[in-house]
Amino acid sequence: EVQLVQSGAEVRKPGESLEISCKASGYRFTDYWIGWVRQMPGKGLEWMGSISPRDSNTRYSTRYSPSFQGQVTISVDKSVTTAYLQWSSLKASDTAMYYCARLQGGLMTQFAYWGQGTVVTVSS
Amino acid sequence: NFMLTQPHSVSESPEKTVTISCTRNSGSIANNYVQWYQQRPGSAPTIVIYEGTQRPSGVPDRFSGSIDTSSNSASLTISGLKTEDEADYYCQSYDNNIVVFGGGTKLTV
């Protein structure tokens, strides 16, 4: 059974750094891209970016939405089949629910499986 | 990049049929597959239609997807509406290594 289990809720102050995680199981980790999706309170889904665990160290392994390029970093650790979403300096506007989702193949496929979400609250 | 536009909300009675549209503003809707996701309150999204018309296992055949190139739009149709179908629905597509979601439609049953 494919499972994506995300880390717990986080509360941070503006300017602080943060990394949230998405532990994958039930399939070969390197065979499928993983993406991150933001949902701000009361708003819709926004694609942030996706990564190929197979090619995670190559130039073309990660794709970012233009809206999030340079704002976050997506990475994976194949040894623990986990994907990460990282901020170096949080803003209040980063307050949202964040979902990881496994694609059904490459980047241009559907988000077939979703994590339960991680709530991030940024407040002074 | 392109945008996908959905109606903000739709409402229909139980046992009726409802259709939710998703219009692409540039580029052909047929160039890339369209997916549909259901998000019930307080839950993560789940996929109900992929590749325009395909239903994942476990999704009732009351859910169907279609493409209309004349209006450059995709549609999600739910027949025999049940109260459990009340949720937000999002279309999604991609192009040039960019993934785009529609703004979402709130379905009230």
Side-chain angles (χ1 to χ4, degrees):
Chain A
E1 177 194 8
V2 174
Q3 285 194 317
L4 300 172
V5 179
Q6 298 185 228
S7 49
E10 301 278 3
V11 180
R12 291 286 190 276
K13 291 181 167 50
E16 293 186 340
S17 63
L18 175 65
E19 181 179 80
I20 62 175
S21 66
C22 170
K23 167 73 174 175
S25 62
Y27 69 96
R28 184 177 293 181
F29 185 64
T30 51
D31 282 356
Y32 301 90
W33 285 60
I34 289 180
W36 287 93
V37 176
R38 182 176 80 173
Q39 187 167 39
M40 298 177 76
K43 302 298 183 183
L45 305 176
E46 301 174 87
W47 175 67
M48 302 177 72
S50 299
I51 188 167
S52 166
R54 178 188 301 275
D55 306 312
S56 58
N57 295 325
T58 68
R59 178 181 176 184
Y60 302 104
S61 68
T62 312
R63 301 288 181 175
Y64 292 94
S65 162
S67 299
F68 292 95
Q69 180 81 47
Q71 307 304 307
V72 297
T73 301
I74 295 171
S75 62
V76 296
D77 184 338
K78 286 183 279 191
S79 69
V80 291
T81 65
T82 299
Y84 301 94
L85 178 64
Q86 183 181 54
W87 293 261
S88 59
S89 180
L90 287 160
K91 310 179 187 69
S93 57
D94 292 320
T95 295
M97 173 75 85
Y98 292 88
Y99 294 103
C100 66
R102 198 207 82 176
L103 289 116
Q104 190 50 29
L107 175 62
M108 302 287 105
T109 59
Q110 65 270 24
F111 294 101
Y113 300 91
W114 293 69
Q116 83 277 17
T118 296
V119 176
V120 173
T121 303
V122 183
S123 174
S124 55
Chain B
N1 296 322
F2 68 97
M3 292 174 58
L4 298 171
T5 300
Q6 301 179 232
H8 182 69
S9 63
V10 295
S11 179
E12 190 51 89
S13 304
E15 301 181 20
K16 300 291 190 181
T17 296
V18 71
T19 297
I20 299 171
S21 63
C22 171
T23 302
R24 181 165 171 160
N25 72 328
S26 66
S28 173
I29 192 75
N31 281 355
N32 305 96
Y33 287 127
V34 175
Q35 278 66 238
W36 290 91
Y37 302 88
Q38 176 192 67
Q39 187 179 32
R40 294 191 173 108
S43 296
T46 61
I47 189 164
V48 292
I49 294 289
Y50 67 97
E51 295 181 357
T53 61
Q54 303 302 302
R55 248 186 343 269
S57 60
V59 174
D61 59 7
R62 302 185 295 105
F63 290 78
S64 62
S66 62
I67 300 290
D68 180 358
T69 54
S70 66
S71 60
N72 212 35
S73 64
S75 293
L76 172 69
T77 298
I78 310 172
S79 60
L81 278 167
K82 303 186 177 196
T83 54
E84 68 201 47
D85 298 330
E86 187 160 292
D88 294 325
Y89 290 86
Y90 296 90
C91 60
Q92 174 255 314
S93 190
Y94 35 71
D95 203 353
N96 293 326
N97 296 320
I98 297 294
V99 175
V100 175
F101 284 96
T105 299
K106 181 177 180 58
L107 169 62
T108 301
V109 179

